[in-house]
Amino acid sequence: MSNQNWNIETKCIQAGYTPKNGEPRMIPIIQSTTFKYDSSAEMGKLFDLEASGYFYTRLQNPTNDHVAAKIAALEGGTAAMLTSSGQAASFFSIFNICSAGDHVVSSSTIYGGTFNLFHVTMKKMGIDFTFVDPGCSDEELEAAFRPNTKAVFGETIANPALVVLDIERFAKAAHAHGVPLIIDNTFATPINCRPFEWGADIVIHSTTKYMDGHDCGVGGCIVDSGKFDWMAHADKFPGLCTPDESYHGITYAERFGKEGAYITKATAQLMRDLGSIPAPMNAFLLNLGLESLHVRMPRHCENALKVARFLEGHEKVAWINYPGLESSPYYDLAQKYMPNGTCGVIAFGVKGGRAAAETFMSHLKLAMIATHVADAHTCVLHPASSTHRQLTDEELVAAGVSPDLVRLSVGIENGDDIVADVAQALESI
């Protein structure tokens, strides 16, 4: 039985690193900036991308690559790279195929930090974004494309609006225009959804969340499906399909094919120049989280559904959205793409608006107020005054974030204890 045929639970433990006789059982931490060679000629082959190996950790490191390979196996991709944060992964995923004058279609209900990256920072770089409601009509989605569109971007489950994207529909639209679909799969993780199976071409993660799972290290990852034919649309992607004069005239799509061109370019070019590499120690900690991901995710979903059902019937709760609830407008899409569970995050509002939300949060004892989300600890946040603070009221509405929205990230503690904590906090309102 080859490792390609392993079930995902086995891949969480075994994929990415196979020790040889006498080698360390665990992925070794190669905490070194540089690597020694016997001759300049040998090192020169690495710089020319004619041989595989390591010469400087800013570009690649063995520890990082083993962990990236594991995530690629979990997602069903052909190549992957780790980044220093989820934000870096979001930026690299777009900037690897876009430059000044290009355009991207994006779902409007995305993480506030990503929205700001796209709408403000990358706009200053000359890359324009059109944000569409994920529930828009096919005609509205079609109208968002331009001749210079280079990609479509969305989140499997939006943070914090919990909108479930119709991946298959957005992939079909992207491919009709000869561009890839990039999906942020942070909340679902490959345990609950594998976007490549629904037509996505690139998957990214903030590994800081469920993959790490324990608040240990900030990180990100980009995974390539290896299925998008860059050369078939060579006029749209000159960075991949014409010689890179900054790297000895290499044409990535010709040299490395569909399976390796995208990640090789992101490593050799973007990581070389921007240096958003994770520390090997952080990659090691991430791997520890990955080894239990398949055990933790079902518990997150089980606990979240229990809390969501409690909130759904509470008199002080104005509204609730959790894709696992039959009452959710995204329930059917969740059943299509994530039949075994969605995530541990719940969005809801309490009667009384912002003031009532603040009172509720201040009385929680088990759940902590934290900017973080999607880890073993139960935590809570008011996005409108924190992660989405930079958005106007109109932008908040477009992002699916109402002023009274409370984001509750349900951990893996005892589910009854979490419900009891939420119950006593609601009584304080």
Side-chain angles (χ1 to χ4, degrees):
M1 182 180 184
S2 69
N3 54 14
Q4 283 78 20
N5 295 322
W6 284 338
N7 290 301
I8 200 164
E9 296 88 349
T10 302
K11 289 179 180 178
C12 282
I13 306 295
Q14 298 284 353
Y17 172 68
T18 303
K20 298 176 182 177
N21 187 48
E23 290 186 339
R25 176 62 192 88
M26 284 298 292
I27 291 176
I29 305 169
I30 309 300
Q31 194 68 42
S32 179
T33 61
T34 53
F35 301 82
K36 177 257 184 187
Y37 287 89
D38 291 335
S39 70
S40 295
E42 288 181 273
M43 184 171 285
K45 290 180 180 180
L46 299 176
F47 275 92
D48 288 343
L49 301 181
E50 293 177 354
S52 60
Y54 302 92
F55 52 88
Y56 197 52
T57 284
R58 189 180 79 228
L59 279 89
Q60 287 180 286
N61 176 282
T63 306
N64 297 351
D65 281 358
H66 287 313
V67 180
K70 174 174 284 189
I71 296 175
L74 293 176
E75 285 287 6
T78 58
M81 66 183 293
L82 298 188
T83 61
S84 57
S85 68
Q87 280 291 85
S90 297
F91 174 65
F92 277 24
S93 71
I94 297 292
F95 199 58
N96 198 36
I97 52 176
C98 291
S99 58
D102 288 338
H103 171 257
V104 176
V105 175
S106 174
S107 168
S108 60
T109 54
I110 55 176
Y111 168 57
T114 307
F115 182 90
N116 197 71
L117 169 67
F118 291 170
H119 184 57
V120 179
T121 303
M122 295 191 77
K123 187 174 183 179
K124 294 177 181 177
M125 302 169 69
I127 301 172
D128 198 15
F129 287 78
T130 295
F131 297 94
V132 298
D133 187 318
C136 68
S137 67
D138 289 343
E139 292 75 19
E140 289 170 325
L141 180 56
E142 176 68 22
F145 286 86
R146 302 176 188 173
N148 61 337
T149 299
K150 298 298 177 68
V152 178
F153 184 94
E155 296 179 2
T156 308
I157 306 174
N159 175 16
L162 300 184
V163 173
V164 177
L165 189 75
D166 191 341
I167 300 171
E168 202 168 31
R169 185 167 79 98
F170 274 69
K172 183 179 179 181
H175 296 160
H177 289 269
V179 301
L181 173 62
I182 302 171
I183 290 291
D184 184 332
N185 198 33
T186 296
F187 269 14
T189 81
I191 301 302
N192 288 339
C193 183
R194 285 157 57 97
F196 293 154
E197 296 174 358
W198 299 100
D201 302 288
I202 308 295
V203 162
I204 66 170
H205 288 274
S206 170
T207 62
T208 318
K209 311 303 191 297
Y210 287 124
M211 283 188 166
D212 174 284
H214 301 88
D215 301 302
C216 289
V218 174
C221 186
I222 308 173
V223 187
D224 185 7
S225 68
K227 295 178 181 178
F228 192 84
D229 191 344
W230 304 104
M231 290 302 292
H233 309 283
D235 58 322
K236 286 182 176 289
F237 306 104
L240 284 162
C241 302
T242 60
D244 179 3
E245 298 306 330
S246 75
Y247 232 106
H248 318 292
I250 284 175
T251 299
Y252 296 101
E254 290 181 351
R255 175 75 71 85
F256 302 101
K258 291 188 296 184
E259 295 78 12
Y262 181 90
I263 293 297
T264 302
K265 177 180 180 294
T267 302
Q269 192 182 86
L270 299 189
M271 195 62 81
R272 174 198 65 191
D273 294 345
L274 300 173
S276 298
I277 198 79
M281 184 67 201
N282 275 15
F284 176 84
L285 293 172
L286 169 58
N287 182 64
L288 293 181
L290 290 170
E291 290 192 346
S292 65
L293 183 64
H294 63 293
V295 179
R296 291 183 286 108
M297 286 307 295
R299 180 60 175 265
H300 279 292
C301 295
E302 176 189 342
N303 280 352
L305 186 58
K306 178 180 287 190
V307 174
R309 294 199 188 284
F310 169 78
L311 289 170
E312 188 176 33
H314 200 285
E315 61 181 6
K316 294 187 179 181
V317 174
W319 60 271
I320 180 171
N321 180 28
Y322 181 65
L325 288 174
E326 291 83 352
S327 59
S328 168
Y330 310 108
Y331 179 76
D332 289 342
L333 281 175
Q335 290 300 299
K336 174 181 177 178
Y337 294 115
M338 295 162 280
N340 296 321
T342 55
C343 66
V345 183
I346 300 169
F348 68 99
V350 294
K351 293 178 180 177
R354 285 191 185 223
E358 291 176 3
T359 300
F360 163 76
M361 291 169 61
S362 67
H363 282 79
L364 290 166
K365 301 182 185 304
L366 182 154
M368 65 185 80
I369 298 175
T371 309
H372 206 231
V373 67
D375 65 69
H377 310 82
T378 296
C379 54
V380 67
L381 191 71
H382 184 234
S385 60
S386 53
T387 55
H388 289 63
R389 190 181 186 92
Q390 75 278 11
L391 303 187
T392 66
D393 285 346
E394 291 76 15
E395 289 172 338
L396 281 171
V397 172
V401 181
S402 60
D404 65 340
L405 187 151
V406 174
R407 184 183 72 183
L408 180 65
S409 178
V410 181
I412 57 174
E413 304 94 344
N414 180 277
D416 292 335
D417 289 341
I418 301 171
V419 170
D421 187 40
V422 170
Q424 64 83 25
L426 285 171
E427 290 306 313
S428 69
I429 301 174

